[in-house]
C-alpha cells in the first residue's frame, strides 16, 4: 500500500517561501573614505552600530553615497553579516594583498570592518554592488552553505 503524504496548504515551497523564514536577517553596509587614502567597508546587523563606530574611530572618514556607489540601497535582506563573511571570505572576494588590508572581525558584537587603500576603490565598489544585488537563488545558496558549515562545526 502506498502512503499518501499530504502537504499543508500554508506551506510555500517557492524560493521566496523558503527565504521567508530568514526575513529577520539583514546586513547593513556603509562605505567610508578618508582623505589619507583609506576606504573602510562596514557591515553590521544593526545600522545604529555605525553611529558608534563613526563617532569613535572613523571621525575623519566621509561616507560614500549610494548614488556614487551605483546602488539603490545599502542592505541585503535574508542574510546576516556572518553568512556574507563565511561565503566570500574576510576579504569579501576582493583580490587585494593581505598585507595592505586591515580587518576588524567583531561579528559577536554585530559588525565587521574591512579597511583597504583608496587605490582599490573601483574593486570595492564592484564588491559592494555584487553583494547588494544578489539574486534570491544566490542568497538561498549562501544560507544553505552557512547552515551546513554550522552543522559540521557542532
Amino acid at each position: 500500500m502506498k502512503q499518501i503524504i499530504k502537504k499543508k496548504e500554508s506551506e510555500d515551497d517557492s524560493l521566496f517561501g523558503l527565504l521567508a523564514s530568514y526575513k529577520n536577517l539583514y546586513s547593513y553596509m556603509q562605505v567610508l573614505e578618508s582623505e589619507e587614502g583609506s576606504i573602510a567597508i562596514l557591515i553590521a546587523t544593526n545600522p545604529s552600530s555605525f553611529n558608534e563606530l563613526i563617532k569613535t574611530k572613523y571621525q575623519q572618514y566621509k561616507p560614500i553615497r549610494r548614488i556614487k556607489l551605483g546602488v539603490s540601497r545599502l542592505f541585503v535582506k535574508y542574510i546576516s553579516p556572518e553568512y556574507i563573511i563565511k561565503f566570500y571570505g574576510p576579504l569579501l572576494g576582493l583580490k587585494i594583498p593581505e598585507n595592505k588590508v586591515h580587518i576588524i572581525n567583531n561579528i559577536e558584537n554585530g559588525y565587521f570592518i574591512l579597511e583597504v587603500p583608496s587605490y582599490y576603490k573601483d574593486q570595492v565598489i564592484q564588491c559592494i554592488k555584487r553583494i547588494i544585488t544578489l539574486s534570491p537563488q544566490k542568497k538561498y545558496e549562501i544560507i544553505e552553505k552557512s547552515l551546513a558549515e554550522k552543522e559540521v562545526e557542532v
Side-chain angles (χ1 to χ4, degrees):
M1 272 176 58
K2 279 188 174 178
Q3 252 187 350
I4 299 173
I5 300 172
K6 292 184 180 180
K7 285 190 176 183
K8 294 180 181 177
E9 294 287 328
S10 63
E11 206 173 294
D12 189 5
D13 286 339
S14 71
L15 188 57
F16 286 106
L18 295 170
L19 284 173
S21 60
Y22 301 101
K23 68 181 175 183
N24 62 339
L25 298 178
Y26 281 85
S27 292
Y28 297 93
M29 305 177 95
Q30 189 163 17
V31 183
L32 305 171
E33 186 173 29
S34 74
E35 293 178 7
E36 293 92 37
S38 180
I39 295 177
I41 303 170
L42 287 75
I43 304 175
T45 55
N46 190 345
S48 65
S49 60
F50 292 146
N51 296 333
E52 298 168 13
L53 291 170
I54 291 172
K55 287 179 185 175
T56 58
K57 186 174 181 182
Y58 298 101
Q59 290 177 351
Q60 66 273 39
Y61 285 69
K62 293 183 180 178
I64 299 176
R65 304 239 181 240
R66 292 179 307 169
I67 293 171
K68 197 171 183 181
L69 291 172
V71 294
S72 61
R73 63 193 185 320
L74 282 172
F75 65 89
V76 182
K77 287 183 180 180
Y78 310 118
I79 299 178
S80 72
E82 181 182 359
Y83 295 169
I84 291 172
I85 294 161
K86 280 185 179 180
F87 187 77
Y88 287 109
L91 294 177
L92 301 176
L94 294 170
K95 292 180 173 76
I96 299 174
E98 289 186 26
N99 60 350
K100 297 189 182 222
V101 175
H102 183 251
I103 298 171
I104 302 170
N105 189 350
N106 204 346
I107 289 295
E108 304 83 38
N109 293 332
Y111 65 90
F112 175 85
I113 302 170
L114 176 67
E115 295 177 13
V116 299
S118 292
Y119 176 77
Y120 300 102
K121 185 175 182 176
D122 292 335
Q123 286 186 30
V124 168
I125 290 172
Q126 291 303 315
C127 170
I128 297 298
K129 283 182 182 180
R130 183 178 60 240
I131 292 172
I132 296 289
T133 60
L134 286 170
S135 67
Q137 292 86 1
K138 193 69 168 177
K139 287 179 185 180
Y140 194 71
E141 179 184 332
I142 291 171
I143 291 169
E144 281 185 331
K145 284 186 178 184
S146 297
L147 294 177
E149 286 178 12
K150 278 186 180 180
E151 288 179 7
V152 171
E153 290 174 4
V154 175

